[in-house]
Amino acid sequence: MPELPEVETVRRGLQPVMEGAKIVVAEARRPDLRFPFQPDFVARLQGQIVTGLGRRAKYLMADLASGDVLLMHLGMSGSFRVIKPDNVAVSGEFHYPKGNDSAHDHVLFRMSSGADIVFNDPRRFGYMKVIARNALEDEPLLRGLGPEPLGNEFDAAMLARACEGKKTNLKAALLDQRVVAGLGNIYVCEALHRSHLSPRRIAATLASKKGEPTDHAKRLVGAIHTVLNDAIKAGGSSLRDHRQTSGELGYFQHSFKVYDREGETCTTPRCGGTVKRFTQNGRSTFWCPKCQK
């Protein structure tokens, strides 16, 4: 499942050809993805100008001049690609010639910028929904999401408050989208390693008895910021299906410190430990038992 850095990478790739442009043609080439398309899905998109392209957690959000918002989720295998027609100048650097997997091209947006934006999803776990901007707070898909980990509000004090009294393990707390939005298995493992905190540590230890953030919380927030920013710069991680809108793979997997490195030597200076893997809450956890406490 693409996590925050992958979705942010896609947003930045689509922004030059989508933001400020009109959706001249919208096509839904099948009745559903993970969920059925709304009956008026195409009608509410076609002819609308995209006034802004943002991201909330793992969702892409295109603001429309009508006051609607197009909510998009990549699912497990979804990807966007930008097709540049012959002899048409398109702003931005994310151009990708049409591939040979058109059987899975389920949605198309033809933009006034001169680009075709195609959503391809072989497994069809992605989804799209048009929502009125003034109804977003009540949208079940978004309601209850925690703070953005790269937002100004997310700091050690906020994380400590969210984890105060929690008896669950630290990894499970960070994967809870109500605690912090957009983090997934890969980047939680990486952030915990960089902050030298065990995934088995009790989440409540991020807060003191007075509810103030401990040094653990401060280290962890710093590590979350660093690992997410580094991953975005690298274009995300390509383990199975993720590609940038240029068609290129993300490269952050080459910078993993623990994820998918079972049996290898820990990269922490002077540690000398060995990366281990165990199953935690139904998912693989990678960590170094020697330097993560």
Side-chain angles (χ1 to χ4, degrees):
M1 185 76 74
E3 300 182 25
L4 185 155
E6 288 75 48
V7 179
E8 177 62 20
T9 299
V10 171
R11 187 195 72 81
R12 295 183 183 190
L14 293 176
Q15 190 174 29
V17 295
M18 200 169 190
E19 202 168 77
K22 179 187 291 187
I23 303 174
V24 179
V25 175
E27 292 182 11
R29 296 175 173 174
R30 55 176 298 111
D32 58 9
L33 291 172
R34 184 174 180 180
F35 309 120
F37 287 111
Q38 298 150 294
D40 59 352
F41 177 78
V42 169
R44 291 172 71 176
L45 296 176
Q46 199 153 281
Q48 290 299 319
I49 294 174
V50 178
T51 58
L53 185 63
R55 179 193 53 75
R56 178 71 172 106
K58 301 176 186 179
Y59 293 95
L60 291 167
M61 301 175 68
D63 282 288
L64 307 177
S66 62
D68 283 337
V69 176
L70 172 59
L71 191 72
M72 299 171 279
H73 196 283
L74 297 173
M76 295 179 68
S77 63
S79 63
F80 285 94
R81 71 178 186 272
V82 176
I83 301 171
K84 177 185 176 183
D86 292 339
N87 302 319
V88 175
V90 181
S91 61
E93 59 179 334
F94 293 87
H95 308 319
Y96 184 54
K98 188 172 179 60
N100 298 318
D101 57 351
S102 58
H104 303 299
D105 288 349
H106 301 313
V107 180
L108 177 140
F109 304 127
R110 180 153 293 154
M111 308 301 297
S112 63
S113 61
D116 282 0
I117 298 171
V118 178
F119 181 67
N120 182 284
D121 190 0
R123 302 185 196 179
R124 299 202 306 273
F125 275 95
Y127 47 92
M128 297 186 188
K129 184 177 183 179
V130 182
I131 308 165
R133 163 61 66 177
N134 58 15
L136 282 179
E137 290 186 3
D138 299 320
E139 171 54 44
L141 295 170
L142 300 175
R143 192 169 55 230
L145 285 177
E148 288 288 320
L150 294 178
N152 293 331
E153 295 181 353
F154 182 70
D155 57 15
M158 174 174 279
L159 184 58
R161 287 194 299 270
C163 292
E164 187 176 7
K166 280 188 177 292
K167 296 181 180 180
T168 187
N169 62 72
L170 190 50
K171 186 186 177 191
L174 293 176
L175 289 175
D176 186 342
Q177 299 299 293
R178 296 167 297 181
V179 172
V180 56
L183 292 181
N185 195 40
I186 293 174
Y187 299 107
V188 168
C189 287
E190 289 295 303
L192 287 172
H193 179 262
R194 294 187 186 209
S195 57
H196 305 299
L197 297 176
S198 169
R200 291 190 169 108
R201 171 179 283 275
I202 300 301
T205 60
L206 297 187
S208 69
K209 292 182 179 180
K210 296 182 179 180
E212 297 174 348
T214 61
D215 287 340
H216 303 317
K218 295 173 184 177
R219 293 206 315 267
L220 182 54
V221 167
I224 290 171
H225 287 160
T226 299
V227 73
L228 291 180
N229 282 316
D230 287 351
I232 290 170
K233 290 177 183 177
S237 302
S238 297
L239 296 181
R240 291 186 178 88
D241 300 296
H242 171 66
R243 286 179 180 269
Q244 302 177 58
T245 54
S246 60
E248 295 180 356
L249 299 174
Y251 295 102
F252 189 70
Q253 68 272 15
H254 301 302
S255 300
F256 287 164
K257 304 296 185 184
V258 287
Y259 191 85
D260 206 27
R261 295 188 66 245
E262 181 184 10
E264 296 183 30
T265 302
C266 178
T267 59
T268 300
R270 298 181 297 281
C271 172
T274 301
V275 176
K276 304 291 186 182
R277 182 187 71 85
F278 68 98
T279 301
Q280 189 177 27
N281 304 109
R283 294 185 174 185
S284 291
T285 293
F286 297 89
W287 72 310
C288 174
K290 186 173 180 180
C291 68
Q292 290 181 250
K293 304 297 182 181

